[in-house]
Amino acid sequence: MRERFGLTSPAGDTTYDKTLSETVAKFQKENGINASGQLNAATLEVINGPRREKTVDIILANMERWRWMPRDLGHTYVMVNIPDYTLRVVRDDKLVWKTKIVVGKPNLPTPLLSAEMKFITVNPTWNVPPSIINNEYLPALQQDPQAMERIGLKVEQNADGTVRIYQPPGDRNALGRIRFNFPNKFLVYQHDTPDKHLFAHDKRAYSHGCMRVENPLKYGEVLLGLALPNEHYTAERLQKMFGGSEININFPTGIPDHLTYQTAFVDDNGALQIRDDVYGRDQRLLAILKGSDRKMADIAIDRPKGSSSAPVRMPPGTFGGSSGGGFSFFERLFGGTPEPAPKPRARVGANDQQRRVTPR
């Protein structure tokens, strides 16, 4: 272990001492592992790393996904890395702030998308998505009509029969005290959570698709400091807004929010990092990249009869040129001198008699 981390020690000393423990803790923190300083299985797995052949495949899959991203990420933007369970705020290509997040379960994955963060909601109401109502809460209500009431949810039914289940603002609210909104077709967002204990876990895929932020008040301070610098929002000021009514703080200009899936990336120290493929996206993508459909691009296709690769020729002047002198198309475009008009040529007939041919 000392050799792996470049540490020196007296010959034959195999003591797992404080220096080595602190070095391991630093390595764990850099790699998204709980920084305990203990040499556990998760740490050994990262230290040893995947086989080189597998690493190359992981990099290829990530490079393919990067092709799907906007070429311009934005002057200021938020970058979520789902397999790393992190959220970063970047301005002018420099890290402004970073925090841990909880992402969607493997069967309820956080989607990949780019959208604009447009406003923050303090004291949000949680309107339960229809999928959760159907799959979880209606079955629970059938077994126990008071189930929703006990967990602070309210049930309403409209005249057309549609059911609404929601949770009013409060400390027990599933969204916590603050929500970060970037409207998108998947109806996901970032938010606070009352379940703070989940951030102590190394792997944090527990949500229904939305992202829970470890320090949402600081996140709000950072975003509002970039979007509304003259308003001087702080975490303390946001906390003083806690109450029973929703308060929206709109951004004058949206901040791009990129939800990405980087199982391979280069960290701030220039070192390659590999993360677990929590959703199995690398495996599926590599199957496509290496599949038979992709190989079709390398198979020669027979040319139909009569086809030729010889240049196509047409009489001069057919497509905008001039047969009587003047500028050609490219000369008109790029400059040049007029071409002299061609002189009439004589054609030799069957009886070797010359006849004048008028140019066409």
Side-chain angles (χ1 to χ4, degrees):
M1 286 295 297
R2 289 193 177 95
E3 183 180 351
R4 166 65 176 77
F5 289 111
L7 301 175
T8 58
S9 66
D13 184 3
T14 58
T15 306
Y16 193 82
D17 58 17
K18 183 180 178 182
T19 301
L20 185 53
S21 176
E22 289 174 348
T23 303
V24 169
K26 181 181 177 183
F27 175 83
Q28 290 169 328
K29 185 176 181 180
E30 291 172 349
N31 288 273
I33 306 170
N34 184 34
S36 64
Q38 298 176 4
L39 191 60
N40 52 30
T43 306
L44 280 173
E45 184 179 342
V46 176
I47 289 174
N48 292 329
R51 297 188 309 275
R52 185 182 182 280
E53 313 85 68
K54 184 180 178 184
T55 300
V56 171
D57 280 348
I58 294 171
I59 293 172
L60 288 173
N62 280 270
M63 290 176 68
E64 174 64 21
R65 278 193 294 269
W66 269 112
R67 294 201 311 113
W68 310 343
M69 295 289 293
R71 292 297 179 264
D72 182 3
L73 297 176
H75 169 60
T76 300
Y77 61 87
V78 174
M79 179 74 74
V80 166
N81 185 359
I82 295 168
D84 192 42
Y85 308 104
T86 55
L87 177 153
R88 299 161 62 93
V89 180
V90 179
R91 184 178 182 87
D92 294 331
D93 297 325
K94 295 180 181 177
L95 178 66
V96 176
W97 187 71
K98 176 181 176 181
T99 192
K100 295 179 181 179
I101 59 171
V102 170
V103 302
K105 304 172 186 176
N107 63 322
L108 296 167
T110 298
L112 308 188
L113 61 86
S114 290
E116 282 196 345
M117 182 88 69
K118 294 190 174 181
F119 64 101
I120 290 174
T121 303
V122 183
N123 309 315
T125 296
W126 182 41
N127 291 294
V128 182
S131 59
I132 299 179
I133 293 176
N134 274 320
N135 299 329
E136 299 181 27
Y137 289 170
L138 287 185
L141 283 169
Q142 288 174 350
Q143 294 182 2
D144 180 2
Q146 308 302 318
M148 298 299 100
E149 185 177 341
R150 278 202 303 276
I151 60 176
L153 297 177
K154 297 185 179 298
V155 183
E156 293 180 352
Q157 187 167 19
N158 299 318
D160 61 358
T162 55
V163 176
R164 179 197 178 204
I165 298 180
Y166 66 96
Q167 189 175 29
D171 292 331
R172 297 175 61 192
N173 190 287
L175 306 184
R177 282 294 190 172
I178 187 167
R179 182 180 68 213
F180 306 90
N181 308 284
F182 45 99
N184 59 83
K185 67 179 182 179
F186 300 101
L187 304 178
V188 296
Y189 37 80
Q190 293 149 6
H191 62 86
D192 183 15
T193 176
D195 299 324
K196 305 292 187 184
H197 65 281
L198 296 177
F199 295 106
H201 298 188
D202 294 335
K203 299 177 181 180
R204 299 182 291 276
Y206 299 114
S207 80
H208 286 78
C210 290
M211 292 133 281
R212 306 173 192 176
V213 182
E214 183 178 28
N215 192 340
L217 287 175
K218 182 62 179 179
Y219 185 32
E221 176 185 309
V222 170
L223 287 178
L224 291 169
L226 296 170
L228 295 164
N230 297 325
E231 298 295 328
H232 307 294
Y233 279 99
T234 63
E236 293 75 18
R237 181 180 172 186
L238 290 170
Q239 190 168 18
K240 289 178 181 178
M241 298 167 65
F242 289 178
S245 300
E246 286 194 350
I247 302 172
N248 288 331
I249 306 173
N250 297 314
F251 296 176
T253 303
I255 296 177
D257 199 335
H258 306 291
L259 310 188
T260 69
Y261 195 85
Q262 303 172 48
T263 51
F265 61 94
V266 174
D267 65 16
D268 297 329
N269 297 318
L272 175 65
Q273 299 292 335
I274 303 291
R275 295 292 181 265
D276 286 344
D277 185 9
V278 61
Y279 295 161
R281 291 184 178 273
D282 286 353
Q283 184 179 0
R284 294 194 297 272
L285 182 55
L286 287 166
I288 295 171
L289 292 176
K290 296 183 176 183
S292 58
D293 287 348
R294 183 66 176 244
K295 292 177 181 176
M296 291 296 291
D298 299 325
I299 297 175
I301 300 173
D302 291 337
R303 291 180 179 273
K305 269 191 172 183
S307 65
S308 170
S309 59
V312 176
R313 299 187 185 279
M314 297 291 288
T318 301
F319 296 107
S322 173
S323 62
F327 291 101
S328 69
F329 171 78
F330 289 102
E331 287 169 334
R332 288 197 302 272
L333 191 62
F334 300 113
T337 56
E339 297 176 349
K343 296 179 179 180
R345 295 182 301 167
R347 182 184 300 170
V348 179
N351 299 322
D352 291 335
Q353 294 177 346
Q354 292 186 350
R355 53 181 177 174
R356 183 73 62 188
V357 177
T358 304
R360 296 180 181 177

